Amino acid sequence: MHQNTLQNSHNSLIYKWDLLRELVRRDLKIQYEGTILGFAWTLLMPFLHLGIFYLLFKIILQVKVQRFTTYAFIGIVAYGWFQSALSQAVISASSNKELILRPRFPAPIMPVVSVTSSMLHFIFTFPLIFIIVILEDHSLSASILLLPIVIGIQFMLTLGLGYLSSILNVVFRDTRPILDVFLRLFYFLSPVFYDPGMIPGKYQWLYNLNPLVSILRSYRDIILHGRVSQWSSLAIVAVASICCAGAGYAFFKKQSYRFLEEL
């Protein structure tokens, strides 16, 4: 009996892994279907944003940020993952009702697909980041091996929020436009193109409640400085992200009965 249970669990994991892989592949294909440049948009859009930021904040406003090109590019692509993942996750249930309503279909996999496909876009930009670092006459250190830790933390944070927004959008269809507005505002409340040290001291505690502050700082520390300067802050964000993912999954599972009523 126990052996059969283990075998069934193993088969279930294999099925879910294969399903995740195929759904991610489908998602990536749909995103670029019918476009001329295809996957090149993944690399082109961050460069367009970088050009605008460089003109505005480096040349016109002359923001004092060292190695601004790499600094801003890391912020743009990391926040881009966060933003695109949530924008897709919020409709991952409502736009896939044919799959969701199938008997025994693992509905919680849909937000995972959204976060994973966006994460792949983010990872594919790393060669460009490394090239920019080298062109700026700096070298990469072995600390880049720590990047998967930070990526994992951001994955869990984004997934937890994706679960929450997805189920809310099934019940309350205004969730998506509200989320889009929030993500645009949050872009400027996160250190995408400016140094967090520019925030007045009396507001630092409030500003640091944003988990992306620690996540973006860690990416930059690892790539630009070969270290993580604030492990304690990153550890707190890691625990909070895991809790967020767990709570989001539990909420999604508990409320999934609404799919039959609302979809």
Side-chain angles (χ1 to χ4, degrees):
M1 179 69 71
H2 180 65
Q3 185 175 2
N4 290 336
T5 301
L6 290 176
Q7 183 64 37
N8 290 335
S9 299
H10 181 259
N11 291 338
S12 177
L13 288 175
I14 293 176
Y15 165 71
K16 290 178 181 178
W17 171 255
D18 289 340
L19 180 62
L20 174 63
R21 183 180 59 192
E22 291 303 316
L23 289 174
V24 168
R25 182 181 301 172
R26 184 199 69 163
D27 191 57
L28 293 174
K29 182 179 179 180
I30 290 174
Q31 287 185 43
Y32 300 110
E33 191 173 18
T35 62
I36 297 175
L37 295 180
F39 180 74
W41 282 112
T42 300
L43 308 178
L44 181 60
M45 291 305 296
F47 271 116
L48 292 176
H49 282 91
L50 178 63
I52 294 171
F53 286 157
Y54 193 90
L55 175 64
L56 289 177
F57 299 104
K58 189 64 176 178
I59 296 178
I60 298 177
L61 298 178
Q62 298 183 356
V63 173
K64 302 299 181 182
V65 175
Q66 292 184 343
R67 301 168 69 178
F68 181 83
T69 301
T70 312
Y71 185 95
F73 193 71
I74 293 171
I76 290 168
V77 295
Y79 191 89
W81 168 22
F82 180 76
Q83 184 175 30
S84 64
L86 287 183
S87 295
Q88 294 176 46
V90 70
I91 59 171
S92 60
S94 57
S95 63
N96 290 280
K97 62 181 181 180
E98 295 83 2
L99 291 174
I100 294 290
L101 296 179
R102 287 183 180 180
R104 302 181 64 183
F105 181 84
I109 203 172
M110 297 312 300
V112 180
V113 171
S114 300
V115 178
T116 302
S117 62
S118 296
M119 178 190 69
L120 291 178
H121 287 108
F122 172 57
I123 292 174
F124 290 151
T125 64
F126 274 109
L128 286 177
I129 295 174
F130 297 154
I131 290 172
I132 294 173
V133 170
I134 294 171
L135 290 177
E136 289 183 332
D137 293 328
H138 291 84
S139 59
L140 296 168
S141 70
S143 66
I144 61 173
L145 298 177
L146 297 174
L147 286 173
I149 297 176
V150 188
I151 292 173
I153 293 171
Q154 184 174 347
F155 184 95
M156 299 302 286
L157 172 67
T158 310
L159 181 60
L161 296 175
Y163 275 130
L164 177 62
S165 62
S166 178
I167 198 68
L168 287 177
N169 190 60
V170 171
V171 180
F172 182 58
R173 293 305 172 93
D174 286 339
T175 300
R176 185 183 186 185
I178 291 173
L179 179 64
D180 286 341
V181 172
F182 170 80
L183 289 172
R184 288 189 178 92
L185 293 175
F186 204 57
Y187 191 90
F188 297 97
L189 294 176
S190 301
V192 175
F193 52 87
Y194 59 86
D195 191 327
M198 299 172 65
I199 304 299
K202 62 181 180 179
Y203 299 117
Q204 280 287 337
W205 69 272
L206 180 62
Y207 185 74
N208 287 328
L209 292 178
N210 177 357
L212 290 182
V213 173
S214 181
I215 290 173
L216 293 180
R217 180 194 297 123
S218 298
Y219 282 131
R220 288 161 173 154
D221 280 350
I222 291 171
I223 296 173
L224 301 179
H225 308 297
R227 68 179 192 278
V228 175
S229 60
Q230 298 187 22
W231 276 108
S232 58
S233 297
L234 186 62
I236 293 173
V237 173
V239 173
S241 299
I242 294 172
C243 293
C244 180
Y249 176 80
F251 180 75
F252 189 95
K253 288 283 288 185
K254 183 177 181 180
Q255 298 295 322
S256 59
Y257 72 90
R258 290 182 176 272
F259 293 152
L260 295 176
E261 302 173 1
E262 304 290 344
L263 290 180

